[in-house]
Amino acid sequence: AKLPLGAQTIDPQLIATVSEGEVRTQVTVDNQAVTKLTLEIAEVAERAGVKLPREFGLLIKQALYFDRYTKLLAPDLDVMSDTRVRLGGTGGAIDVQAR
């Protein structure tokens, strides 16, 4: 089976900032490269006869919808650096604060 080539094009960027004595780090990746890699994984799995769980397909579909609507409605929004979204809270939950 052919291995996905998209993994080679994902180039994570690490950004570190210091504010009020606190170091904050952020890892960003190109969303289009991640989407392409995910679609390649699904394609390779299909060719190899591997049946992915239905939930995997639904997750990918929702991620694509979210990405598309975010670009249409808020093209400058960077969800991963938005101050209202706090990742890595207790239990792996995502806390979202309203403005």
Side-chain angles (χ1 to χ4, degrees):
K2 174 186 148 196
L3 294 177
L5 297 175
Q8 297 169 5
T9 62
I10 296 177
D11 185 24
Q13 304 274 323
L14 177 64
I15 301 168
T17 57
V18 178
S19 175
E20 299 176 14
E22 184 175 309
V23 177
R24 294 178 185 239
T25 58
Q26 175 184 351
V27 177
T28 61
V29 293
D30 179 13
N31 289 337
Q32 289 179 342
V34 172
T35 300
K36 182 178 177 184
L37 173 63
T38 306
L39 293 173
E40 286 180 11
I41 290 171
E43 189 178 300
V44 169
E46 184 178 330
R47 280 194 308 238
V50 175
K51 183 158 174 64
L52 296 171
R54 182 176 180 266
E55 292 80 6
F56 180 79
L58 292 174
L59 178 65
I60 299 309
K61 198 175 191 181
Q62 290 305 312
L64 292 172
Y65 284 144
F66 180 77
D67 186 52
R68 182 172 72 191
Y69 290 128
T70 301
K71 286 181 178 154
L72 287 172
L73 299 173
D76 297 327
L77 176 67
D78 182 2
V79 176
M80 300 309 284
S81 66
D82 193 304
T83 58
R84 296 169 292 174
V85 177
R86 186 171 40 120
L87 300 175
T90 58
I94 298 174
D95 299 329
V96 178
Q97 302 169 350
R99 283 192 191 198

